Amino acid sequence: MKKITLLLAFLLGHFTFAQTDIDQILEIGIENAQRFSEDYFAPAGESLVNNMSNGWYNTAKTKKLWHFEVGIIGNLSFVREDKQSFILRPEEYTDISFRDGSTNQSVASALGVNQEQVTVVINAGQASELEVILPDGIGSAEINSIPAGFIQGSMGLIKSTEIKVRFLPRIKAVEDAEIQLYGVAFQHELTDWIFPLKRWPVRLAGLLGYTNVKGFYDINTNSGVPGVDQEVRLNSNSWLITTIASTKLPVLNFYAGLGYYFGATNADLLGTYQIQNGPFASDIVTDPISVKNKTNGVKATLGTKVQYGVFKANLDYTFQNYSNLSLGLSFGW
């Protein structure tokens, strides 16, 4: 079967890839392929925005002027069962039906797997009738968690403000595939501005953060579909606005956050493709699929941080659409 690889997740700059049958998806027609792709990839786009909005903080305390911290952040987002599939309704498509005549069926999203082979019929009963097997998810099994990782640093500025940056240069993750990541955030401590708050056993702060992830995959030699300039591009933007509270203990501290995240993920199938089978056989299509997914929601974080000299470690859990576990290891002063 002819397949292409699509980006889903990454860990310390290494992609997790899986494959889907681009030739068969295009055989159901461009409008149908676009409609199917929107539902199929929506959970993957949501999960990426959710994942990348985490790991921005481990205390409400901001650093003194020019003091810094550098470390590695790892995120692990958990996928709910209902995100591993979606309901496909033929009435929302053109000239598509299930062979058994059912009005809808649950089929795998990019994060799931079909328990049995799911087939749709194009132009049922006509001379150009074609059966197309719908793809499983991008893994060989249901995906229950999604990892991510990056390098992150922070530095104290004036007026109880701290800047944070996360960065991964454009690197070759696997053959023909590249990824890059960058992000910036500003944290401001409120405790220093109100004298009574200074006497509290906790600190209070606010944070605004932004993360961008880009993926590039050249599929000219791997798609199995005749054409030129074939490429998959992914662009994901994630924003976080949150309040932070943390304790003031010397070694072991606890922190919490309540905030709002939002963002969007665009995945584009670029280039020209000559469809091989079915009623659209020999048609040449250009940039056939563009999927955009938006997501937003409220999140609550609980975590703990331990410090020994200049070395620090933190672990937190975030309750959100895709609940997340973050681990950070850093050093600084």
Side-chain angles (χ1 to χ4, degrees):
M1 299 176 72
K2 310 175 186 72
K3 300 184 176 185
I4 65 168
T5 301
L6 293 178
L7 166 69
L8 174 64
F10 49 92
L11 177 60
L12 298 178
H14 289 74
F15 284 104
T16 296
F17 286 99
Q19 299 179 326
T20 186
D21 299 25
I22 187 60
D23 54 340
Q24 291 199 337
I25 293 301
L26 293 178
E27 286 168 6
I28 68 176
I30 299 306
E31 291 185 3
N32 288 334
Q34 174 70 31
R35 178 72 180 85
F36 177 84
S37 298
E38 289 171 357
D39 288 336
Y40 181 82
F41 288 109
E46 292 176 358
S47 66
L48 187 55
V49 172
N50 276 251
N51 190 302
M52 298 313 299
S53 65
N54 291 293
W56 272 120
Y57 59 89
N58 53 37
T59 180
K61 180 181 180 180
T62 53
K63 294 176 175 54
K64 296 179 181 179
L65 183 63
W66 309 132
H67 286 210
F68 71 93
E69 182 177 318
V70 178
I72 297 174
I73 307 296
N75 287 330
L76 185 66
S77 293
F78 301 99
V79 179
R80 303 199 313 266
E81 185 177 348
D82 63 302
K83 295 295 185 178
Q84 297 171 340
S85 62
F86 67 95
I87 300 300
L88 190 151
R89 297 179 175 84
E91 64 185 26
E92 299 175 351
Y93 295 77
T94 302
D95 296 327
I96 284 184
S97 62
F98 290 112
R99 178 62 77 187
D100 62 6
S102 58
T103 57
N104 64 75
Q105 286 190 33
S106 177
V107 301
S109 73
L111 304 180
V113 171
N114 291 312
Q115 299 303 313
E116 297 180 353
Q117 193 174 83
V118 180
T119 302
V120 295
V121 182
I122 314 300
N123 293 344
Q126 302 180 29
S128 59
E129 177 183 299
L130 175 71
E131 287 191 352
V132 174
I133 300 172
L134 297 181
D136 283 327
I138 66 173
S140 58
E142 293 176 341
I143 296 176
N144 298 309
S145 60
I146 300 171
F150 38 82
I151 298 172
Q152 185 164 295
S154 58
M155 178 176 290
L157 302 177
I158 61 172
K159 304 291 186 180
S160 303
T161 301
E162 180 179 314
I163 184 172
K164 303 170 184 280
V165 294
R166 50 178 55 167
F167 181 65
L168 191 68
R170 182 163 173 167
I171 61 173
K172 190 171 185 178
V174 295
E175 185 178 0
D176 300 323
E178 296 179 318
I179 184 176
Q180 69 179 35
L181 176 152
Y182 68 87
V184 61
F186 291 93
Q187 180 174 322
H188 183 76
E189 186 174 347
L190 305 175
T191 317
D192 293 341
W193 289 94
I194 305 174
F195 180 75
L197 295 182
K198 294 182 179 181
R199 306 177 69 175
W200 285 14
V202 297
R203 300 178 186 274
L204 300 176
L207 180 142
L208 171 65
Y210 167 77
T211 304
N212 175 268
V213 180
K214 287 184 171 65
F216 311 87
Y217 183 55
D218 183 352
I219 61 174
N220 278 291
T221 59
N222 298 315
S223 73
V225 181
V228 296
D229 299 326
Q230 297 177 352
E231 181 184 18
V232 175
R233 289 187 186 177
L234 180 140
N235 184 52
S236 181
N237 298 292
S238 178
W239 290 87
L240 172 66
I241 303 172
T242 187
T243 57
I244 309 167
S246 66
T247 57
K248 297 180 178 180
L249 303 175
V251 177
L252 178 65
N253 278 281
F254 302 92
Y255 59 94
L258 180 63
Y260 178 77
Y261 70 90
F262 61 95
T265 298
N266 289 31
D268 298 309
L269 180 64
L270 305 177
T272 62
Y273 302 80
Q274 183 176 346
I275 301 174
Q276 300 298 290
N277 301 296
F280 306 100
S282 299
D283 284 3
I284 297 177
V285 294
T286 302
D287 300 343
I289 297 176
S290 179
V291 177
K292 183 173 183 178
N293 171 262
K294 295 182 179 181
T295 187
N296 62 82
V298 176
K299 63 194 308 177
T301 299
L302 296 173
T304 183
K305 173 184 176 182
V306 62
Q307 180 172 345
Y308 183 77
V310 297
F311 298 99
K312 307 169 186 178
N314 69 281
L315 180 70
D316 64 52
Y317 188 85
T318 299
F319 301 88
Q320 57 181 27
N321 192 11
Y322 293 74
S323 294
N324 186 88
L325 186 69
S326 287
L327 173 65
L329 301 172
S330 61
F331 71 92
W333 59 288

